[in-house]
Amino acid sequence: MQLHLSPSMRSITISSSTNNNGFVDLMKIKVAARHISYRTLFYTILVLAFLLPFVFILTAVVTLEGVNNCPSLDCIGRRFGPSGIKLLGKDDSGRRLVKDLYKILNQVNTEEIPSGLKFPESFSQLVSDIKSNQYDAKTFAFLLKAMMEKLEMDLREAKFAELMNKHFAASSIPKGIHCLSLRLTDEYSSNAHARKQLPPPELLPLLSDNSYRHFVLSTDNILAASVVVSSTVRSSLSPEKIVFHIITDKKTYAGMHSWFALNPVSPAIVEVKGVHQFDWLTRENVPVLEAIESHNGIRSYYHGNHIAGTNLSETTPRVFASKLQARSPKYISLLNHLRIYLPELFPNLDKVIFLDDDVVIQRDLSPLWEIELGGKVNGAVETCKGEDEWVMSKRFRNYFNFSHPLIAEKLNPDECAWAYGMNIFDLRAWRKTNIRDTYHSWLKENLKSNLTLWKLGTLPPALIAFKGHVHPIDSSWHLLGLGYQNKTNIEIVKEAAVIHYNGQSKPWLPIGFEHLRPFWTKHVNYSNDFVRNCHILES
């Protein structure tokens, strides 16, 4: 493009070059010198010289965008003209070529890949092979299909391997937490202060005082227990009214006792008991759980080869992940089933809040004691309604095998599920029901059916046992999914009363989500000598 001024400065010509290196006049402007001063003309030329390149670029961009938005080859052909049609195969020979190509692709899509076909491992190798071997179109199509299927298979295998590794990471005990338990256990044997009575003798009557707010926590994770207790006390408007009943197993009892003896959370009261210290927890009273822990088939299911018997080509990563989660060893732990025995374990209490060890309390929970359950036993957040379609979309069909005739006969697949993790239990109402017997009965049925009624842990039998005994509470009290939902809204997390890291990605594990971990770590006492000596570092 050229800008030409006549010698007399009375005309301006804009020309464009042609293929013959000649010029075609695109625009010619004549001006009258008596009307326009040289100064005005100079500035006009300057403005044109500045604007015209931009007009050219804008026109080109608009044209190209129009091509990209074309819905068909015909549209693109109209944009480019005759040369574009030939380029895209829209002349007669081009049409035949495209039709033949489609025909070959459809044919190859329905046929098996030849057994002896050796396909390249990379695109550059493919190009090199085509040049050297002069493949026909069908062979080329088979090569593409083989490469695509190999890529898909590699991706699936990598995804399943990732899920397996994540499962093992979630089931393992981090070195720092294991160290903490060992050091505190050793402290219990050598330090009288670590063995002091919890709570002091003068406070023992408060353990059964129903004017206090009683929380129950069942866990063998000392660090997690410290976070639950600390966050609850910090968030409370009346911490002096809080009583924590912590239940742990025999191997963890000494370490758990040491921690809370050496790190009191005054003015709250903490009691630590091992399962071996409850007279009621005998084999006669919990025969089903004893069977679960000792049954070889069950132990093999939870501790054995999780790949064996699984056809990875016919299952999705999401289904495989749920099956792995169902095989977490915690589901055959007595600690995980203890909540079903709360009325017997605390015969003098009327109402308790049961907390899982992977929760953090962010708001005063006193108002929960004022909720009228209307004669129901279990105040819980329902998980079938809410903005989060991934977390809050759970119905009975998500937990039970409705192809089994017993499940299909007794249960409704559309019935709304509810969440464990933060539940308020009316123990007086509970003692009037047969919830525990129903729970045991269905556990027996699942054992007899070789675990074909359900796969996922302790919630399914509880969904059946508490059927008709659940009072829904507002979802703002209990936010779920922080252990498997990476896209959890941070603002919603900040507003929730209780946040729950249910899922594999616990905040104390390396696989925990980095942006969600700080809500948990801010309640860890990193200045504590035991925590520092075990190299449990703030992330």
Side-chain angles (χ1 to χ4, degrees):
M1 182 177 290
Q2 290 190 356
L3 186 69
H4 177 72
L5 301 177
S6 67
S8 64
M9 298 293 286
R10 296 198 173 202
S11 67
I12 303 171
T13 305
I14 301 173
S15 305
S16 176
S17 61
T18 66
N19 293 333
N20 299 324
N21 294 324
F23 290 92
V24 176
D25 293 341
L26 296 179
M27 183 184 299
K28 190 169 184 178
I29 304 173
K30 293 184 178 181
V31 297
R34 63 179 180 273
H35 293 141
I36 302 177
S37 66
Y38 285 107
R39 180 185 297 274
T40 301
L41 183 60
F42 173 76
Y43 285 121
T44 302
I45 294 170
L46 189 63
V47 169
L48 284 172
F50 180 76
L51 289 179
L52 284 174
F54 287 96
V55 172
F56 175 77
I57 293 171
L58 181 62
T59 304
V61 169
V62 170
T63 303
L64 290 175
E65 285 183 345
V67 170
N68 290 335
N69 292 330
C70 276
S72 66
L73 293 175
D74 289 330
C75 170
I76 298 177
R78 289 195 300 272
R79 293 280 188 181
F80 283 111
S83 60
I85 291 176
K86 291 181 180 179
L87 178 65
L88 296 170
K90 293 298 289 182
D91 59 352
D92 291 340
S93 61
R95 286 194 189 95
R96 287 195 300 272
L97 177 63
V98 171
K99 287 181 179 179
D100 290 343
L101 179 61
Y102 287 159
K103 183 178 179 181
I104 292 171
L105 290 175
N106 286 328
Q107 180 183 354
V108 168
N109 189 45
T110 58
E111 295 180 7
E112 293 292 330
I113 298 174
S115 57
L117 183 67
K118 294 182 179 180
F119 55 90
E121 296 292 333
S122 65
F123 180 75
S124 59
Q125 185 181 346
L126 173 66
V127 174
S128 175
D129 288 351
I130 292 174
K131 288 181 178 179
S132 59
N133 297 322
Q134 297 292 311
Y135 292 129
D136 58 29
K138 188 172 183 179
T139 303
F140 175 70
F142 271 124
L143 288 173
L144 286 181
K145 182 179 180 180
M147 292 179 69
M148 290 293 292
E149 289 186 357
K150 176 65 164 55
L151 178 61
E152 290 176 1
M153 185 182 302
D154 290 345
L155 287 174
R156 285 178 62 83
E157 289 179 357
K159 183 62 178 177
F160 287 125
E162 177 193 355
L163 292 172
M164 282 297 301
N165 292 334
K166 190 172 183 179
H167 171 71
F168 291 135
S171 303
S172 64
I173 301 174
K175 183 178 179 180
I177 291 179
H178 182 60
C179 165
L180 183 66
S181 179
L182 292 178
R183 285 180 176 267
L184 286 167
T185 300
D186 181 64
E187 192 73 11
Y188 183 84
S189 64
S190 60
N191 186 346
H193 291 290
R195 297 193 302 272
K196 69 181 180 181
Q197 186 172 346
L198 288 177
E202 64 273 15
L203 298 180
L204 286 177
L206 301 182
L207 297 179
S208 56
D209 188 337
N210 283 297
S211 66
Y212 281 71
R213 289 166 183 135
H214 296 266
F215 294 84
V216 180
L217 173 64
S218 175
T219 180
D220 60 357
N221 187 326
I222 298 172
L223 191 65
S226 73
V227 168
V228 175
V229 174
S230 175
S231 64
T232 304
V233 174
R234 288 183 186 180
S235 303
S236 176
L237 300 178
S238 304
E240 71 281 357
K241 300 293 290 184
I242 290 178
V243 178
F244 255 98
H245 305 268
I246 300 176
I247 307 174
T248 190
D249 56 18
K250 190 173 183 178
K251 66 178 175 60
T252 314
Y253 170 74
M256 188 75 74
H257 188 104
S258 294
W259 176 268
F260 287 101
L262 299 173
N263 301 279
V265 287
S266 300
I269 298 168
V270 176
E271 174 194 33
V272 177
K273 293 191 75 171
V275 292
H276 59 289
Q277 295 174 319
F278 286 95
D279 295 334
W280 187 86
L281 285 176
T282 63
R283 294 186 178 184
E284 291 74 21
N285 289 329
V286 288
V288 176
L289 299 184
E290 179 67 22
I292 288 177
E293 290 193 320
S294 60
H295 193 286
N296 289 332
I298 302 301
R299 294 194 65 81
S300 175
Y301 176 79
Y302 284 99
H303 295 281
N305 185 349
H306 298 333
I307 294 290
T310 302
N311 189 343
L312 297 183
S313 64
E314 296 182 0
T315 188
T316 65
R318 182 173 178 177
V319 171
F320 185 65
S322 67
K323 288 181 178 180
L324 286 178
Q325 185 179 353
R327 290 189 171 197
S328 172
K330 72 176 184 178
Y331 292 130
I332 57 172
S333 166
L334 178 59
L335 289 175
N336 207 43
H337 291 267
L338 273 183
R339 68 195 85 196
I340 205 68
Y341 306 112
L342 290 178
E344 290 77 22
L345 299 180
F346 302 99
N348 298 318
L349 295 182
D350 295 338
K351 187 177 286 189
V352 300
I353 286 182
F354 191 95
L355 298 172
D356 279 357
D357 64 1
D358 53 356
V359 304
V360 174
I361 312 304
Q362 303 189 127
R363 208 164 73 212
D364 179 44
L365 300 184
S366 300
L368 287 175
W369 265 266
E370 310 304 323
I371 294 178
E372 180 55 52
L373 298 182
K376 304 293 186 182
V377 172
N378 179 6
V381 168
E382 292 184 322
T383 54
C384 65
K385 57 191 77 169
E387 295 182 3
D388 192 328
E389 295 181 358
W390 175 262
V391 178
M392 304 298 285
S393 61
K394 303 294 190 296
R395 297 184 181 273
F396 275 31
R397 70 167 68 93
N398 300 105
Y399 297 98
F400 298 100
N401 175 20
F402 277 88
S403 64
H404 194 287
L406 182 61
I407 294 294
E409 177 188 354
K410 298 291 185 180
L411 302 178
N412 177 7
D414 295 321
E415 187 162 345
C416 189
W418 47 268
Y420 263 155
M422 195 286 293
N423 305 83
I424 180 164
F425 290 116
D426 185 337
L427 302 185
R428 291 171 301 178
W430 191 337
R431 294 184 184 103
K432 300 175 184 177
T433 70
N434 62 344
I435 289 174
R436 188 190 73 193
D437 294 337
T438 303
Y439 187 90
H440 281 175
S441 173
W442 278 92
L443 278 179
K444 290 178 182 177
E445 288 293 336
N446 200 31
L447 285 174
K448 286 195 297 184
S449 68
N450 196 27
L451 301 179
T452 57
L453 302 186
W454 66 80
K455 297 293 186 186
L456 187 59
T458 54
L459 181 58
L463 290 175
I464 301 174
F466 283 100
K467 198 169 182 297
H469 299 291
V470 178
H471 176 82
I473 62 176
D474 190 271
S475 60
S476 64
W477 283 109
H478 187 187
L479 179 65
L480 296 134
L482 275 70
Y484 62 85
Q485 174 61 302
N486 189 26
K487 298 180 181 179
T488 302
N489 188 304
I490 294 296
E491 295 305 316
I492 296 177
V493 173
K494 293 177 181 178
E495 296 298 321
V498 177
I499 56 175
H500 193 175
Y501 292 85
N502 59 311
Q504 291 180 319
S505 301
K506 304 298 185 189
W508 57 81
L509 295 174
I511 59 174
F513 300 128
E514 292 295 333
H515 64 296
L516 298 176
R517 184 178 283 127
F519 293 96
W520 187 84
T521 56
K522 68 180 180 181
H523 295 288
V524 177
N525 182 7
Y526 289 102
S527 63
N528 180 275
D529 288 341
F530 291 98
V531 173
R532 286 192 296 107
N533 291 334
C534 287
H535 305 290
I536 301 174
L537 303 178
E538 186 171 4
S539 57

